[in-house]
Amino acid sequence: KVVPLEGTYLAWIDCRALQMTSEAIARKLIEDANVRINEGTMYGAAGEGFIRINLATQRVRLTTGLEFIRKALI
């Protein structure tokens, strides 16, 4: 689930349904998808279960990265 953006190029993604820590999600994405994200916990304890993705890149690069993320987490 994507948290509605507030005029920024950084998307908050709610991954709590995966029942994984932000650290585990980040590790899995690096190992399985070669994609680096920001762990939600880098913004405090309330960020547990969330990840943050930078959208400020070329559309094709973003689309490819999101597809890698989807395949790694599903």
Side-chain angles (χ1 to χ4, degrees):
K1 225 174 11 173
V2 178
V3 176
L5 300 177
E6 295 181 2
T8 181
Y9 56 88
L10 297 170
W12 275 101
I13 312 295
D14 182 349
C15 297
R16 293 177 292 180
L18 297 174
Q19 298 182 354
M20 297 170 66
T21 65
S22 294
E23 180 182 357
I25 294 166
R27 187 174 46 253
K28 182 168 183 58
L29 291 176
I30 289 171
E31 292 172 359
D32 296 353
N34 199 30
V35 172
R36 185 173 302 275
I37 53 87
N38 292 119
E39 299 172 27
T41 51
M42 74 182 290
Y43 301 97
E48 184 61 74
F50 289 80
I51 61 174
R52 193 135 193 195
I53 299 173
N54 187 334
L55 304 174
T57 189
Q58 302 154 336
R59 184 178 298 259
V60 67
R61 189 173 234 181
L62 179 60
T63 303
T64 300
L66 291 173
E67 183 61 21
F68 287 164
I69 290 170
R70 185 188 70 76
K71 286 179 181 177
L73 296 180
I74 293 179

